[in-house]
Amino acid sequence: MTASSTPGTSGPVMCIVGARPNFMKMAPILRAIAAHAPALRTMLVHTGQHYDRDMSDRLFTDLGLPRPDINLDVGSGSHAVQTADVMRRFEPALDTHRPSCVIVVGDVNSTLACTLVAVKKNVPVVHVEAGLRSYDRKMPEEINRVLTDQVADRLYITERSAGDNLQREGVDPGRICFVGNVMIDSLLANREQAQRPAQTLRAHGLDPAVVATGRFGVVTLHRPSNVDDPEVLGRLLGVLAEVAARLPLVFVQHPRTRGNIERFGLADRIDPARVVLLPPQGYLEMLGLMAEATLVLTDSGGLQEETTALGVPCLTMRANTERPITVDEGTNTMVGDDRDAILQCVDEILAGQGKRGRTPEFWDGRAAERIAADLAHWLAGPRVHD
Ligand code: UD1
């Protein structure tokens, strides 16, 4: 926990992280509050939704996150079990520490679970990365986003379209604040420290020749809609094999994906001569891989944004995106599972005709600073729950 108490805001600002994509969002927020709103005490709560060294501890180290003040150690489970476990374990922490507000980021199960507990106790909730919508209710994250935004008190948005989405859902514009993208704060703060891809491969005992030419693709896949069905996953691996025939690939495997490839007996669809497999990487390793890649093939939300900030073409293997600015202004192209579209985009990129894009408004490394300034002001003023 960090220093002093504040007149008017009794308890600490409780900052919640749970799963991998939360860590790079929360790190700059904690730093910005310490630097720009030092009167606010912060407290870091890790729900333990992600717990592996690769999925959690390493990112804490890379991002300079302090050790959590509280770890709820919930681990994996079905959506219901995981959400319920976070709620049951978070409630006593809230009762004990009586925070002035709870900050949640992104759209993972921990985000919604902590939001529900806090609002029902009249503790104000601040949602960072609010208003993004894929309009695909089959995506668990979409449910988490819609529900969190309905009940959260202060909504920080990364792109203006998110504000339009929120207003369409009846959210009072007074609750919405456009600050930019904290994930890009992390990227810009760490860009210089990124690890070179050859070093990353060597660290895993792999031949760095595949990245030595500077022409390689990076692949990540982990969405349940892409990796939980053997037929769909098998087909996607087939398309990746065709891409790999044109361009060597570094496939960074999420535990869910690696497990499913093994369980479904699909490992032989990956040609080790053209596709290098890596376990989940640290933040600096991943940043280095993306920054030097010729293209990125992914179904991640965060990578769509990071590639736009890096100016690297991104082919998103999903039917929709909740981050349309990456397509409209950035380097992102939605390709779904369409083999022909994917191969055509790959060929264009290899011919030097990939999207270059431009940096979206307020993706400038100062989003967390804006949050800290607004938060201090907002906490000092009258609020919905007062
Ligand atoms: C979660 C988020 C997703 C985010 C992703 C990033 C939800 C609904 N989904 O999905 O939005 O993009 O994190 O990774 O919150 N596992 C491990 N070690 C870990 C964590 C998980 O091996 O540290 C394995 C377990 O087998 C687990 C599976 O991964 O069952 C899925 O983990 P889970 O947290 O349920 O969801 P993700 O797929 O990681």
Side-chain angles (χ1 to χ4, degrees):
M1 219 187 295
T2 40
S4 78
S5 76
T6 316
T9 55
S10 45
V13 172
M14 212 175 223
C15 301
I16 313 294
V17 292
R20 185 169 60 176
N22 295 162
F23 307 136
M24 36 293 230
K25 294 170 193 167
M26 197 56 84
I29 295 172
L30 287 171
R31 263 199 303 276
I33 292 177
H36 300 284
L40 300 179
R41 276 186 303 142
T42 55
M43 186 172 191
L44 184 60
V45 177
H46 188 348
T47 66
Q49 177 174 342
H50 283 173
Y51 44 87
D52 277 357
R53 187 178 169 274
D54 286 346
M55 299 294 285
S56 178
D57 301 2
R58 260 174 89 183
L59 289 130
F60 267 72
T61 312
D62 286 354
L63 293 158
L65 271 167
R67 285 176 67 84
D69 297 287
I70 299 173
N71 194 323
L72 304 177
D73 279 323
V74 295
S76 300
S78 68
H79 286 278
V81 166
Q82 194 173 57
T83 308
D85 279 352
V86 173
M87 290 181 73
R88 288 168 61 118
R89 293 179 194 202
F90 182 51
E91 185 172 40
L94 207 70
D95 289 341
T96 305
H97 297 283
R98 305 169 61 81
S100 55
C101 72
V102 167
I103 303 185
V104 294
V105 294
D107 54 17
V108 302
N109 286 342
S110 301
T111 307
L112 176 62
C114 293
T115 297
L116 286 175
V117 175
V119 288
K120 291 203 174 182
K121 298 235 162 202
N122 287 341
V123 175
V125 173
V126 173
H127 186 205
V128 176
E129 200 188 87
L132 298 179
R133 296 288 180 271
S134 65
Y135 294 99
D136 174 4
R137 294 263 167 125
K138 290 210 177 69
M139 222 183 151
E141 292 81 1
E142 183 75 353
I143 308 296
N144 295 341
R145 293 181 198 118
V146 168
L147 296 179
T148 300
D149 289 339
Q150 272 302 316
V151 292
D153 298 270
R154 192 90 186 123
L155 300 167
Y156 293 120
I157 60 172
T158 53
E159 56 175 281
R160 291 191 187 274
S161 73
D164 301 336
N165 296 336
L166 290 167
Q167 289 190 54
R168 265 197 297 276
E169 290 169 17
V171 170
D172 174 357
R175 283 162 57 200
I176 305 168
C177 182
F178 177 40
V179 293
N181 195 326
V182 288
M183 185 166 233
I184 305 308
D185 290 6
S186 269
L187 182 143
L188 296 175
N190 289 285
R191 180 70 187 86
E192 298 299 314
Q193 287 80 49
Q195 180 161 298
R196 304 296 307 268
Q199 202 181 334
T200 301
L201 263 55
R202 261 190 236 107
H204 288 274
L206 296 162
D207 184 355
V210 72
V211 296
T213 58
R215 276 173 91 78
F216 63 94
V218 170
V219 179
T220 81
L221 283 178
H222 75 284
R223 295 265 156 241
S225 56
N226 278 339
V227 306
D228 281 2
D229 177 318
E231 202 252 301
V232 173
L233 182 56
R235 192 155 37 79
L236 290 180
L237 292 177
V239 179
L240 289 179
E242 289 191 80
V243 176
R246 294 158 157 82
L247 179 74
L249 297 177
V250 178
F251 188 171
V252 185
Q253 288 183 312
H254 185 283
R256 174 195 283 276
T257 311
R258 187 184 54 219
N260 287 349
I261 289 175
E262 275 165 32
R263 210 174 47 250
F264 303 152
L266 296 170
D268 61 355
R269 308 252 174 128
I270 299 171
D271 173 5
R274 299 295 295 172
V275 183
V276 175
L277 296 179
L278 285 176
Q281 291 300 298
Y283 185 71
L284 299 175
E285 288 84 352
M286 202 59 211
L287 191 51
L289 283 165
M290 280 188 289
E292 293 192 34
T294 308
L295 60 87
V296 171
L297 274 154
T298 191
D299 59 8
S300 152
L303 266 67
Q304 294 173 49
E305 298 185 332
E306 289 167 334
T307 46
T308 275
L310 291 165
V312 172
C314 179
L315 305 183
T316 297
M317 298 172 84
R318 282 174 45 189
N320 48 56
T321 181
E322 61 287 335
R323 293 161 162 92
I325 204 164
T326 60
V327 176
D328 297 340
E329 295 186 16
T331 58
N332 194 14
T333 305
M334 306 304 296
V335 292
D337 59 358
D338 182 339
R339 169 194 175 272
D340 295 344
I342 292 170
L343 295 179
Q344 190 189 331
C345 285
V346 169
D347 287 339
E348 281 168 13
I349 294 165
L350 292 178
Q353 288 151 15
K355 268 174 110 169
R356 291 183 206 282
R358 62 173 188 267
T359 308
E361 185 182 7
F362 280 180
W363 291 24
D364 59 357
R366 301 183 63 186
E369 218 178 290
R370 291 183 197 102
I371 289 175
D374 181 82
L375 191 64
H377 180 72
W378 180 73
L379 281 173
R383 295 188 307 274
V384 176
H385 290 297
D386 283 351

